Amino acid sequence: MSTAQPIIDSRSGTHFWVLSVDKPGRVSTTRSGTCTPASGSTRESVYRDIYLSVTDADPILRGATVLFFSLEPNRL
């Protein structure tokens, strides 16, 4: 995990993300939002920060398998 976490779910975030996770036979969910990665962040560090943010917010999701992850610039 990076030491400088991105701002998750900021309405004006620079990046839009989608994360789908699953715990077979228990729960699956898809979450999305925006974030502004800290300067020097990598795609991998942002992925880990988002995964931890989503799974820490709902204890049943801890240890869930990632089915899908997307991180794209939040512009058209």
Side-chain angles (χ1 to χ4, degrees):
M1 183 172 80
S2 68
T3 55
Q5 292 187 341
I7 299 170
I8 305 289
D9 293 327
S10 168
R11 294 214 184 262
S12 61
T14 61
H15 289 73
F16 174 74
W17 58 268
V18 178
L19 177 72
S20 294
V21 295
D22 180 58
K23 285 186 105 171
R26 296 189 69 195
V27 66
S28 63
T29 190
T30 297
R31 304 280 170 84
S32 64
T34 63
C35 68
T36 301
S39 178
S41 292
T42 63
R43 181 179 170 85
E44 189 271 340
S45 67
V46 174
Y47 157 79
R48 289 196 181 278
D49 291 341
I50 291 170
Y51 177 84
L52 289 174
S53 177
V54 168
T55 58
D56 285 351
D58 190 346
I60 196 166
L61 296 175
R62 290 186 185 141
T65 300
V66 175
L67 302 175
F68 178 80
F69 175 70
S70 177
L71 177 69
E72 303 290 335
N74 190 22
R75 58 178 160 62
L76 295 176

